[in-house]
Amino acid sequence: MFILNLSKRVAIVFFAMSGAVFANETSVQTPNGVISGNIGVVSKYIYRGGVESDDLAAQGGIEYAHKSGIKVGYWGSTLDYNPAHEDKNFGFENDLYLAYGHEINQNWSYNVQATAYIYHNTNNIVADNGDKRPVTSYDLTASLIYKNLTLLSAVTLADSSASNIGDTYLSAMYSYALPQDFSLNTSIGATAYNSSHDDEVVQTQKDFAFNEARIGVSKHFANTGLVASVDYVIGGEDRSGEDFDDHVVFGLNYNF
């Protein structure tokens, strides 16, 4: 599924990892590629340590993978806030991406992806002094996969209300197969922050910060497309040095 993945958004990468091994068992074959997708819920939506929804979040996506290695897809999630309207307790995140992936050999593969993060019913955030930032953000992600280990780097491509151009998120994820279709999933992530574009909307106190670590277990239910998961998220810090809380996240995903 999707490598998305920044500093306030989408545990998508990790949650998708929980079901990635089984995502193609009910996918649709076309003459030149494969259409696959998923729908699910998580008890909380935590992304790179930050809380996107402290309540139940509905999530889902669809992807077309051409035989050439080019992929195009969409992923979305409900939120318990609106980035541009403090008085609203509901929002929706829409992630659109274009990617290219290739299998080097039976052990090694890579993926390069450009993603736009778009929020429903939002536009700009304006500070008291007039500084203005768009809510929509963009990043470029490169992933190198060796067997069940994924190394990822995501670079922000433009200033937004949550990040500066050049912010770079780094992560490592590892999944280990257990008996009875269980998997042990782990990850760790940190961000190198660019402070040179700071203004009244985005202010940086940390040049580099550990954002989160995860350990969890997922269970695949054979011949159903269903994957259940539970993850313990160890919170780190954000760009301002504020501590993230720890969380336990339950999830149920249907891959098709």
Side-chain angles (χ1 to χ4, degrees):
M1 185 351 236
F2 323 117
I3 305 254
L4 295 177
N5 354 309
L6 153 197
S7 66
K8 67 176 291 293
R9 271 170 231 91
V10 244
I12 304 169
V13 177
F14 187 81
F15 182 67
M17 248 181 79
S18 300
V21 175
F22 314 103
N24 291 326
E25 68 176 13
T26 55
S27 57
V28 178
Q29 300 287 331
T30 70
N32 293 308
V34 177
I35 299 173
S36 62
N38 69 85
I39 55 174
V41 293
V42 288
S43 59
K44 296 181 179 182
Y45 175 16
I46 311 298
Y47 186 67
R48 300 184 185 178
V51 178
E52 296 297 294
S53 179
D54 203 28
D55 299 315
L56 198 70
Q59 303 178 334
I62 190 165
E63 177 183 276
Y64 173 70
H66 191 266
K67 62 183 180 181
S68 65
I70 296 174
K71 293 166 281 187
V72 60
Y74 165 85
W75 188 90
S77 177
T78 58
L79 309 173
D80 66 1
Y81 73 102
N82 184 298
H85 302 280
E86 294 182 358
D87 59 329
K88 296 184 178 181
N89 60 3
F90 179 82
F92 202 92
E93 174 188 343
N94 302 280
D95 300 343
L96 303 173
Y97 65 92
L98 177 66
Y100 177 78
H102 182 68
E103 186 177 279
I104 302 170
N105 56 42
Q106 64 178 4
N107 294 326
W108 291 90
S109 61
Y110 65 85
N111 189 80
V112 179
Q113 178 171 303
T115 306
Y117 304 91
I118 304 166
Y119 294 85
H120 176 67
N121 195 28
T122 63
N123 190 6
N124 297 310
I125 290 181
V126 182
D128 292 338
N129 71 344
D131 288 341
K132 183 168 67 174
R133 293 279 190 114
V135 175
T136 299
S137 66
Y138 309 89
D139 69 18
L140 181 66
T141 300
S143 304
L144 181 65
I145 302 99
Y146 174 71
K147 295 184 178 180
N148 294 326
L149 173 67
T150 299
L151 302 178
L152 177 147
S153 176
V155 180
T156 302
L157 299 179
D159 292 338
S160 73
S161 60
S163 57
N164 287 333
I165 185 173
D167 287 351
T168 303
Y169 181 74
L170 305 169
S171 74
M173 296 167 281
Y174 182 75
S175 181
Y176 181 77
L178 300 172
Q180 303 299 317
D181 290 329
F182 282 91
S183 293
L184 174 67
N185 308 300
T186 62
S187 72
I188 188 169
T191 303
Y193 295 107
N194 171 29
S195 62
S196 65
H197 282 212
D198 279 7
D199 56 18
E200 287 300 310
V201 179
V202 173
Q203 299 184 23
T204 306
Q205 301 297 324
K206 307 281 289 188
D207 291 329
F208 186 85
F210 156 71
N211 300 134
E212 69 163 38
R214 293 180 178 237
I215 183 167
V217 175
S218 59
K219 163 67 175 177
H220 167 244
F221 296 91
N223 302 316
T224 67
L226 290 174
V227 180
S229 65
V230 57
D231 299 319
Y232 184 71
V233 184
I234 302 168
E237 295 178 309
D238 64 11
R239 69 187 314 125
S240 65
E242 293 291 325
D243 290 335
F244 290 130
D245 292 332
D246 296 350
H247 299 275
V248 176
V249 180
F250 298 92
L252 182 64
N253 210 45
Y254 171 66
N255 299 297
F256 59 89

